[in-house]
């Protein structure tokens, strides 16, 4: 109980959150009505009932369907503002947000519409709530290398608003190597890089993310624990992992939170952080993710502080500062 007061009151960072994954069913209905889109659900309860996933692809199918209600710049603003309001209430003071431009441009919504709506909310989030933020543009890995290059091209005229590139969507069968050239071009253009790896995919994909994509931070990385040499390398390189407990519970086969690897990661000396991934789909934001692991894993105040410290240290704001000091 004491610990709950500690982590809820603690200033927090969030480094792994897909803004489209923060679309709550209530807002989904509101935007559907506003845009004359017919949803395959009658009520908010029906939507929540459909959020019963057995793996990543199961979730992604519903996630891409859900984002179909996002059409106008105002929709993207409203989505982002709702997220910022929510996390302000949870004492999150810095957030690094993923967005999936291809999930929108492939439906005829322009890159400009997406980035302008999200960025306007982020600017107001700083003014109104004092929340600092960064944007990370993800490539959908189930799509082609060419499509990723076309997306990178569109991002270049918005470089002032985007700090990094990432890689998400269906992991199995779409190894990081598929995007080696795109990431090289993105790094050349000055973007930082992250990638989802080892969420469902094997440790080999984590090696590829390190060696071929030259990532600055690893998203998930859970399956790295299957390879001792890889664990040692992540520790030596001080590579941060953005771990998402409730997401793992719903998608990645962690059926009992007492088996979740987060505490083990910290105890091994890995630089693990705690994040919500897709809070509207997996049952919670930052505080709910802390709640999901702290007691089941017997975590202490020191574990919680380590997560907070790692979040600050692994933030792109810290990474950029460290690069400038070199
Ligand atoms: N994994 C991969 N891709 C995603 C996720 C995820 O958890 N959420 C949104 N896109
Ligand atoms: Zn994710």
């Amino acid at each position: 109980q004491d610990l709950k007061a500690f982590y809820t009151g603690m200033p927090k960072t969030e480094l792994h959150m897909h803004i489209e994954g923060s679309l709550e069913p209530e807002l989904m209905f509101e935007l559907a009505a506003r845009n004359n889109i017919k949803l395959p659900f009658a009520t908010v309860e029906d939507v929540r009932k459909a959020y019963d996933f057995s793996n990543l692809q199961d979730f992604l199918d519903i996630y891409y369907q859900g984002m179909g209600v996002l059409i106008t710049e105002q929709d993207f603003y409203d989505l982002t503002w709702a997220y910022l309001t929510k996390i302000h209430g949870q004492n999150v003071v810095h957030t690094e947000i993923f967005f999936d431009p291809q999930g929108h441009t492939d439906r005829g919504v322009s890159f400009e519409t997406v980035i302008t709506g999200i960025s306007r909310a982020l600017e107001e989030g700083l003014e109104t709530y004092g929340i600092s933020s960064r944007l990370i543009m993800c490539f959908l890995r189930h799509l082609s290398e060419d499509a990723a290059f076309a997306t990178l091209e569109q991002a270049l005229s918005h470089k002032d608003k985007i700090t990094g590139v990432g890689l998400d969507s269906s992991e199995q069968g779409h190894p990081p190597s598929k995007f080696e050239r795109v990431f090289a071009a993105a790094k050349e253009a000055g973007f930082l890089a992250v990638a989802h790896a080892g969420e469902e995919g094997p440790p080999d994909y984590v090696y590829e993310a390190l060696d071929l994509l030259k990532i600055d931070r690893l998203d998930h990385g859970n399956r790295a624990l299957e390879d001792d040499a890889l664990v040692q390398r992540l520790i030596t390189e001080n590579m941060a992992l953005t771990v998402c407990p409730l997401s793992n519970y719903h998608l990645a086969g962690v059926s009992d939170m007492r088996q979740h690897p987060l505490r083990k990661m910290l105890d091994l000396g890995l630089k693990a952080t705690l994040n919500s991934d897709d809070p509207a789909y997996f049952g919670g934001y930052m505080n709910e993710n802390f709640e999901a692991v702290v007691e089941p894993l017997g975590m202490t105040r020191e574990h919680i502080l380590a997560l907070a410290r790692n979040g600050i240290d692994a933030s792109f704001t810290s990474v950029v500062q460290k690069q400038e000091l070199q």
Side-chain angles (χ1 to χ4, degrees):
Q1 214 50 41
D2 187 30
L3 285 178
K4 183 168 181 173
F6 184 58
Y7 65 70
T8 55
M10 178 175 78
K12 291 173 281 287
T13 64
E14 169 141 78
L15 305 180
H16 183 155
M17 202 291 301
H18 304 261
I19 194 66
E20 297 90 347
S22 72
L23 177 62
E24 294 287 351
E26 290 80 4
L27 183 58
M28 191 189 294
F29 271 93
E30 194 181 316
L31 298 183
R34 194 153 96 188
N35 293 320
N36 288 311
I37 291 168
K38 184 140 175 53
L39 290 175
F41 306 103
T43 63
V44 163
E45 288 68 42
D46 286 353
V47 180
R48 290 224 158 81
K49 257 183 255 155
Y51 293 177
D52 179 20
F53 318 112
S54 43
N55 55 43
L56 176 57
Q57 193 58 50
D58 236 30
F59 155 71
L60 288 169
D61 292 343
I62 289 218
Y63 166 82
Y64 292 123
Q65 180 188 67
M67 70 173 76
V69 301
L70 299 162
I71 308 288
T72 66
E73 186 199 312
Q74 188 64 36
D75 298 342
F76 287 91
Y77 172 90
D78 290 345
L79 172 72
T80 308
W81 188 253
Y83 165 72
L84 291 169
T85 301
K86 182 74 191 179
I87 67 168
H88 178 58
Q90 296 201 349
N91 296 316
V92 175
V93 296
H94 177 78
T95 183
E96 305 195 348
I97 294 178
F98 294 130
F99 71 115
D100 284 331
Q102 290 161 292
H104 313 299
T105 52
D106 285 3
R107 304 182 285 114
V109 175
S110 79
F111 193 98
E112 279 64 33
T113 297
V114 178
I115 189 99
T116 309
I118 296 173
S119 299
R120 185 159 61 84
L122 294 179
E123 282 164 25
E124 270 188 52
L126 182 60
E127 280 169 32
T128 306
Y129 297 139
I131 297 175
S132 55
S133 60
R134 301 261 177 183
L135 258 183
I136 304 170
M137 177 182 82
C138 285
F139 302 113
L140 298 184
R141 68 202 303 159
H142 68 277
L143 300 178
S144 69
E145 181 195 32
D146 279 352
F149 265 114
T151 304
L152 177 60
E153 184 64 34
Q154 290 182 291
L156 291 177
S157 48
H158 299 282
K159 256 226 87 227
D160 56 322
K161 302 184 205 72
I162 304 171
T163 306
V165 297
L167 188 64
D168 65 2
S169 194
S170 323
E171 187 178 7
Q172 295 278 15
H174 302 284
S177 53
K178 182 176 167 185
F179 298 96
E180 181 177 1
R181 290 181 291 199
V182 185
F183 270 65
K187 286 224 131 181
E188 185 63 32
F191 292 102
L192 295 176
V194 297
H196 284 51
E199 180 185 18
E200 272 191 348
D204 272 359
Y205 286 18
V206 177
Y207 281 108
E208 286 190 11
L210 296 171
D211 292 326
L212 305 181
L213 305 189
K214 313 253 191 280
I215 52 169
D216 296 287
R217 192 163 79 203
L218 171 61
D219 294 319
H220 295 294
N222 298 32
R223 289 196 60 193
L225 293 178
E226 295 169 21
D227 183 327
D228 291 340
L230 179 53
V231 169
Q232 283 316 308
R233 178 168 169 195
L234 292 170
I235 294 168
T236 306
E237 295 184 5
N238 203 23
M239 177 61 58
L241 280 68
T242 60
V243 181
C244 308
L246 283 172
S247 169
N248 297 154
Y249 178 78
H250 286 276
L251 304 184
V254 179
S255 54
D256 178 346
M257 276 303 186
R258 287 172 297 185
Q259 310 294 326
H260 192 277
L262 181 61
R263 179 179 171 166
K264 183 178 176 193
M265 288 170 168
L266 291 171
D267 290 343
L268 283 167
L270 285 163
K271 196 200 276 184
T273 64
L274 176 139
N275 312 272
S276 73
D277 209 1
D278 299 280
Y281 291 88
F282 302 143
Y285 294 75
M286 289 293 289
N287 287 347
E288 290 80 10
N289 271 276
F290 271 103
E291 182 159 25
V293 287
V294 166
E295 210 216 52
L297 295 178
M299 291 170 75
T300 63
R301 218 179 151 86
E302 280 62 45
H303 288 113
I304 295 167
L305 277 172
L307 290 168
R309 234 183 281 115
N310 290 346
I312 294 168
D313 194 47
S315 71
F316 276 170
T317 303
S318 298
V319 171
V320 168
Q321 277 179 355
K322 281 182 245 176
Q323 286 179 350
E324 283 169 358
L325 287 172
Q326 271 176 3

